[in-house]
Amino acid sequence: INNLPDLLFYFPFRYEVLTRTDLNEEKTMIDGLLISDPTVFYFNYKKNVLKFKLQIKEKVINVHIYNRAFLRPRLKKNITITVIGKYNSEKNTLVASDLLFGPIPEEKKITPIYHQTAELSNKKIINILHKALTMVVPESVVPSEIEKKYDFIPFVDALKETHLPTNEERLNKAIMRMKYEELFILMLKINFLRKNKKKQGLTRAVEFAKVLSLIKSLPFGLTPDQEKVIQEIYDDLVSAKRMNRLLQGDVGSGKTVVAILAMYINYLAGYSSALMAPTEVLAQQHYQTIKELVPHLKIVLLTSATKKKNQIKSQIKEQKYDIVIGTHALLTEDVEFTNLGLVITDEQHRFGVNQRKNLMNKGTMPDVLYMSATPIPRTYALTIYGDMDISSIKTKPANRKPVTTMVKTYQDLKSVLEMMFAELKKGHQIYVIAPLIDESEKSNLESANEIYQNMVKAFGKKYQVGLLHGRLKGEEKTNILNDFMSGQINILVSTTVIEVGIDAPRASMIIIYNSEMFGLSTLHQLRGRVGRGDLASKCILLTEKATARLKILEKTNDGFLISEEDFKLRGGGDLFGNLQSGDMQFKIADIKKDYSLLVKAKEDSAIYLDEKKQTPEIKKILNEVAKLA
Ligand code: ADP
Ligand code: MG
């Protein structure tokens, strides 16, 4: 809190509604007659306790209240006072945290409760706010015509009500008004950014027929959703509008081929493309796939493991390649592109906002495509991704068999091992995911090791077991994964480093230890490692106790539904990592609960992108945003 507006928008996180209670240990609020002159005892340095007797109907109790010696002159015998605190029946004493003069008011007393610090008690915060509210009158950004439209209580009154509540009905209206204020400002900025980003981009004279002939040469027919998305991307790329598009599709829905076709369109127009993936293995996998599907294009892989980096970098600068595939290594300053027309980020939620921007800035005005396997809950789609167009692949290729998911407890471990054996006999492969014990990599490694030893004990005579974890060097990791992909390893025990994008079509089973530790979306991603070919596949979720939450995964394979559930249960941080959810800190609105208000704010604020309609407050905000963008 740096200034008065910060202070005024420091909202209570809850309200306490006090009504008359009986005497009880938890929270007592009761009034009675003061029947003794109070006495004050001083102790330690500057501390004191005030004691008196209070008569409540027939009963007389002792009341102690700390550090209120200054109240003594007002506490006269035979007045009625109200005390709030905890009552100890053995000692017949109520230790009061607060004291009000007079009987309990008929109207309920609502106390705002703020987040506090050791030095700043709730009471202090309330006092400071009372003062502040008499000093400044902040301006609302929401125009008055909108206040009228919803019959809102005036902004300043609403602000006061949130800190000095009078009654519940009015308070609820006030909270709504303040939430709307916050969401209106947010959506105004997002609408503005979205409009601004649609500025001039590259145009490409490419006939769709050429794209179609590449599609015809693919080893499979595209799904209707893939076709629709490619059309959307094509339209963006040929038009002068700059593409800023998010492609979301469940694991295994076939996003890679869409990326390839986009890069092909870009290539036909004479530009180069960059594709960035979050891991070495994934980048390598993309490299292989792309080489197979568009063999006549010049393609290069650039990761930290790449040899002759400098040579490749200078070739990239000379536009010797049509497609550059890589990891974070693409982001280093000395990687320079010429005619970079299209930038694609795979598994985009694995990258921070700045990393993604960094890649984009390597071209002059490249079109941008982000891909994500984590479907975005509605509110997020409107907010953190509100400045993007969104394409979705909702159905998977037809040959897919659904993954059968089973929640099992450790008592069932024997039957799980039998199921594993049956898969191995068929020549299929298995992932075993070791638990995520805590933040420390070391203990995760220990548990992975233990499971690895057990798997070797159970299957080691006949089958190869591999162990993959975050402590391995890049090259070791790649070797193990390659052995798994080629079928030399039958069972791969791994920490969650495996999570992203690996495509091993002979893997038909995944077993996840301590599955209760993971978010539903993460579990869904993990099980997406199997069922990628045409094998019927199984996912076993091991846990102490089968909960309703985990059982959601037995019932549905719909990633969109799962991410909504996860979002309700755990919030956005787990879905997007801190980098992104950190952008979304609200002072009063609750993105999980206020969706309909958000939609209204989005529609209402869009009107004010028209300069003629802009109030000075709105102009000021948009100027600030324009400076940042
Ligand atoms: P993701 O969307 O998770 O990145 P991928 O692009 O890796 O999925 O695709 C998963 C697998 O599905 C790949 O082996 C790919 O070749 C295959 N695939 C993609 N599209 C189709 C399709 N239309 N028909 C059949 N298989 C497809
Ligand atoms: Mg992928």
Side-chain angles (χ1 to χ4, degrees), residues 344-361:
I344 303 181
T345 309
D346 193 16
E347 308 290 346
Q348 63 86 26
H349 61 287
R350 288 303 174 114
F351 295 94
V353 177
N354 289 335
Q355 288 177 315
R356 299 189 316 231
K357 275 201 188 131
N358 227 326
L359 184 58
M360 187 175 85
N361 291 338

Side-chain angles (χ1 to χ4, degrees), residues 387-599:
D387 59 344
M388 295 183 193
D389 293 314
I390 298 184
S391 293
S392 302
I393 303 181
K394 296 210 165 159
T395 49
K396 292 187 189 177
N399 61 348
R400 294 295 152 68
K401 300 239 170 61
V403 180
T404 310
T405 299
M406 291 171 262
V407 181
K408 296 263 184 196
T409 63
Y410 297 106
Q411 276 100 320
D412 298 330
L413 207 55
K414 191 159 168 272
S415 72
V416 174
L417 291 174
E418 280 160 9
M419 279 192 274
M420 289 177 73
F421 195 58
E423 292 302 315
L424 292 167
K425 269 201 298 202
K426 284 186 252 176
H428 301 170
Q429 294 167 293
I430 301 176
Y431 294 101
V432 180
I433 307 299
L436 186 77
I437 294 172
D438 55 27
E439 299 292 300
S440 120
E441 257 185 59
K442 187 157 168 275
S443 50
N444 286 338
L445 177 56
E446 270 166 22
S447 73
N449 234 327
E450 202 180 305
I451 291 168
Y452 170 76
Q453 299 298 346
N454 288 339
M455 291 296 152
V456 170
K457 238 183 259 164
F459 301 104
K461 283 211 182 88
K462 279 190 154 166
Y463 298 102
Q464 279 297 318
V465 186
L467 175 61
L468 189 73
H469 55 80
R471 288 285 179 93
L472 294 174
K473 293 208 183 72
E475 203 177 331
E476 294 171 309
K477 232 187 267 180
T478 311
N479 287 342
I480 290 175
L481 275 164
N482 283 342
D483 285 351
F484 188 66
M485 306 258 241
S486 68
Q488 271 159 279
I489 290 178
N490 308 92
I491 303 175
L492 182 62
V493 179
S494 169
T495 55
T496 49
V497 292
I498 198 77
E499 194 188 327
V500 174
I502 297 302
D503 195 14
R506 299 297 298 164
S508 67
M509 193 172 190
I510 184 164
I511 294 156
I512 304 169
Y513 277 75
N514 280 31
S515 53
E516 74 281 355
M517 300 290 285
F518 298 96
L520 293 181
S521 289
T522 306
L523 291 172
H524 181 64
Q525 293 267 324
L526 282 167
R527 83 173 158 184
R529 298 305 111 231
V530 297
R532 295 177 79 84
D534 49 9
L535 302 178
S537 304
K538 289 194 182 70
C539 168
I540 314 283
L541 303 175
L542 283 171
T543 180
E544 293 286 344
K545 201 165 147 262
T547 56
R549 185 178 83 92
L550 286 176
K551 281 178 174 283
I552 293 173
L553 292 172
E554 284 184 344
K555 288 184 213 113
T556 181
N557 257 307
D558 181 342
F560 283 81
L561 203 122
I562 290 163
S563 88
E564 289 280 349
E565 286 295 325
D566 220 12
F567 183 57
K568 273 188 224 148
L569 291 165
R570 292 164 65 113
D574 284 319
L575 290 178
F576 304 107
N578 290 328
L579 283 166
Q580 290 181 40
S581 58
D583 300 344
M584 295 290 289
Q585 297 212 339
F586 289 97
K587 290 189 192 301
I588 190 163
D590 179 341
I591 194 171
K592 282 190 253 178
K593 292 186 189 142
D594 299 325
Y595 180 68
S596 57
L597 207 57
L598 183 70
V599 172

